[in-house]
Amino acid sequence: MRHVRPVPPRAARDGTAALYRQLERDFGVLAPPIALLTPAPECAAATWVALRESLLVDGRTSRADREAVATAVSRANTCPYCVEVHGATLGSLDPAEDADDPRARPVTDPVEQVEQDAVTLTFEHINRLVNVFLPDSPLPGSAPAAVRGPLRRATGAVIAADRGSPVPGASLELLPEPARRAPVPDDLSWAVGDARIQRALTAAVSAIDEAGARALPATVRDLLHRHLAEHGTGAAGIDRSWVEAAVRDLPVSVRPLGRLTLLTARASYQVGDDIVAACREAGADDAALVRAVSWAAMTAARHTVRTASDRTGRTPPENERNQL
């Protein structure tokens, strides 16, 4: 892992210990994209809630359908780590599926669409976290080419193994009570057709919003919201000059965090050691870095899915929302 040190399993206590137990039981491995967030345990729990409830709990779509979405989103976000993990998992679940060119199955059922969108939101979030904090592959860099394929397939088989359907909503107990009682934000109205998923995502985004407020001043958070509204989440180019223009009106003391959040949202693979070092010099510890990156990643994910939902007209009209 890069930039932060997660809580070792042997040192985990209370909520983090409960998270690790549930993660290993339901996912099969102590997944690094969740474990790396444990310096800010509320972010680790929230990300796990989104992952578990969208990808692992039984729904109308199959697990293979959802893994295909996860792999396709990860490929679009240039997240080779997640492509490798979830492509291998997809191959174990459905050997006939082309993990090199995964396609989300077209759906017309509104609940199936919510399930696909929930996976999209989760991986728009996780891909950005992984690009900042993890290497390009879960396999050791020293592993010979001849054994990388078998190792990859073995990892996919472990994650894809049938452990029975996880109990819906059981992960929510890992989140603070205020997050579990949070009202549904407008940008999650697309999930109204599935109350379980909408409740889980609402709790997850509420916890991450609170974490962002702890780590980032309002000036930085407002900047990212304005920037995404104007430019969207697409990559801005091969260099980072656009970031300097975007942060120039911020106080000098918070510009490092401004750069970190903007890059996480739009070009997470461009967050280098220099960006993190500048945040460290400005006083950010591991917990602050995790909270800042988690908030920026989730804010970008929410913007992406809400924009797609609005563009395709998938959000139910007000009268339909009231009937569901």
Side-chain angles (χ1 to χ4, degrees), residues 200-215:
L201 295 182
T202 294
V205 302
S206 175
I208 290 174
D209 274 348
E210 178 62 26
R214 293 180 63 182

Side-chain angles (χ1 to χ4, degrees), residues 8-96:
R10 65 182 179 278
R13 300 290 184 271
D14 303 324
T16 299
L19 168 67
Y20 280 170
R21 287 193 297 270
Q22 194 176 98
L23 182 58
E24 288 190 291
R25 183 191 70 210
D26 293 345
F27 197 66
V29 296
L30 197 61
I34 306 299
L36 71 84
L37 302 173
T38 51
E42 75 280 15
C43 293
T47 301
W48 169 238
V49 167
L51 178 66
R52 182 185 187 273
E53 301 301 324
S54 69
L55 189 69
L56 305 183
V57 173
D58 282 351
R60 292 194 190 178
T61 56
S62 70
R63 171 75 183 276
D65 286 337
R66 298 192 294 272
E67 289 286 353
V69 174
T71 307
V73 171
S74 300
R75 188 173 296 281
N77 283 333
T78 318
C79 182
Y81 186 105
C82 289
V83 169
E84 196 161 352
V85 170
H86 293 280
T89 305
L90 176 60
S92 291
L93 290 165
D94 185 358

